[in-house]
Amino acid sequence: MHSKTHRTFAIKNMKRSLGHIVYGKDTEALAKFAKALGHPTRIAILKHLENQSCCFTGDLVDVFPLAQSTISQHLKELKNAGLIQGELKPPKIKYCINHENWTMAKTLFQEFFD
Amino acid sequence: MHSKTHRTFAIKNMKRSLGHIVYGKDTEALAKFAKALGHPTRIAILKHLENQSCCFTGDLVDVFPLAQSTISQHLKELKNAGLIQGELKPPKIKYCINHENWTMAKTLFQEFFD
DNA sequence: TTTGTTTATCGCCAATAGACGATTGGTTTA
DNA sequence: TAAACCAATCGTCTATTGGCGATAAACAAA
């Protein structure tokens, strides 16, 4: 019944995390965005995208002293968080800010900081 | 000379990360704040602090279904990021938002999102 | 001084993250 | 078809994170 990845616990120790805690939707969403922003390379990539409006993976490989696979990995995480989107522009892939989610993130941070 | 925690590399493979990349101050700062916000429990703790204005570790242990040591760890990370500060109020410790850095973070996110 | 209360730290473990090189897959162009 | 190009994915490695219980440290009160 329990997920194999989590320990069981004695009843008298209840209150301990059973798997994981569920937070409000906004809390989860904000944490997800923040996590994606929690690496300087990804911040830098996004700043670059804001200037260029769009760009290709190859451009970034030239800009940052990182392996192509590493850049690709960061782009994947930004995409998973919904902050960017990739458009097939053969033979390249054009990455742009996802403005809808960008606005959502902006609003969430705004509200959070009052 | 190199930190032991980083590989060396062949000269012909230059362009690879020598230890780590140095980004602009704002980029680093923003990533650091974002990283601290990158866990829903820490978001929830901060929201709680915003409401309460201040609180003790013990209060949080009652609010969240997490071990005292886990809460303490999250508080430590928030403190390291500068988002909160602890005031000795024996025998307890009162945690509050660090308003100076809070404002700095707010501004950085604001600027980042345009 | 001893006891109780509160919080931080330690040690451990599983899971995740971040970096790399190498390989694969898809699309053009020769 | 073959060759070239670009980006994603795979496999591996190390470091970090997040959780826990147990222990230590700090201080108040008895």
Side-chain angles (χ1 to χ4, degrees):
Chain A
M1 209 57 190
H2 289 102
S3 159
K4 172 162 53 187
T5 62
H6 292 106
R7 320 183 169 62
T8 54
F9 54 93
I11 293 196
K12 66 176 199 164
N13 284 337
M14 265 297 232
K15 114 194 273 283
R16 302 299 163 232
S17 83
L18 171 115
H20 56 273
I21 310 173
V22 178
Y23 293 94
K25 244 176 150 294
D26 282 5
T27 297
E28 299 273 11
L30 188 52
K32 185 177 174 184
F33 283 130
K35 189 171 186 179
L37 298 176
H39 193 292
T41 295
R42 291 194 287 270
I43 297 283
I45 288 176
L46 290 171
K47 283 189 175 179
H48 194 259
L49 278 179
E50 283 186 281
N51 293 340
Q52 308 281 329
S53 106
C54 282
C55 78
F56 303 100
T57 306
D59 303 347
L60 298 172
V61 175
D62 293 335
V63 171
F64 298 99
L66 293 168
Q68 178 264 325
S69 56
T70 303
I71 300 281
S72 187
Q73 181 59 27
H74 283 305
L75 288 172
K76 184 184 181 182
E77 286 176 46
L78 290 173
K79 204 167 51 182
N80 285 344
L83 289 169
I84 65 172
Q85 55 196 338
E87 183 189 345
L88 244 81
K89 211 83 177 180
K92 299 186 175 185
I93 294 181
K94 194 172 67 172
Y95 281 104
C96 309
I97 301 282
N98 181 324
H99 289 287
E100 187 181 344
N101 290 331
W102 187 266
T103 303
M104 186 181 308
K106 174 184 178 145
T107 304
L108 282 172
F109 278 104
Q110 224 160 239
E111 287 173 2
F112 177 73
F113 281 109
D114 278 347
Chain B
M1 208 58 192
H2 288 104
S3 159
K4 172 163 51 187
T5 61
H6 293 106
R7 325 181 166 65
T8 54
F9 55 94
I11 292 194
K12 66 176 201 163
N13 285 337
M14 264 297 233
K15 117 193 272 280
R16 301 300 163 232
S17 82
L18 171 115
H20 55 271
I21 310 173
V22 179
Y23 293 95
K25 245 177 149 295
D26 282 4
T27 296
E28 299 272 12
L30 188 52
K32 186 177 173 183
F33 284 130
K35 189 172 185 179
L37 298 177
H39 193 291
T41 295
R42 292 195 287 272
I43 296 284
I45 288 176
L46 290 171
K47 284 189 175 179
H48 193 259
L49 277 179
E50 284 186 281
N51 293 339
Q52 307 281 327
S53 106
C54 281
C55 78
F56 303 100
T57 306
D59 304 346
L60 298 172
V61 175
D62 293 335
V63 172
F64 298 99
L66 292 168
Q68 178 265 326
S69 57
T70 303
I71 299 282
S72 187
Q73 180 60 27
H74 283 306
L75 288 172
K76 185 184 182 182
E77 287 176 46
L78 290 173
K79 202 167 53 182
N80 285 344
L83 289 169
I84 65 173
Q85 54 195 337
E87 185 188 344
L88 244 82
K89 211 84 178 181
K92 301 188 177 183
I93 295 180
K94 194 173 66 173
Y95 282 104
C96 310
I97 301 283
N98 181 325
H99 289 287
E100 189 180 341
N101 290 331
W102 187 267
T103 303
M104 185 181 308
K106 174 184 178 145
T107 304
L108 282 172
F109 278 106
Q110 223 159 241
E111 288 174 3
F112 177 71
F113 281 109
D114 277 347

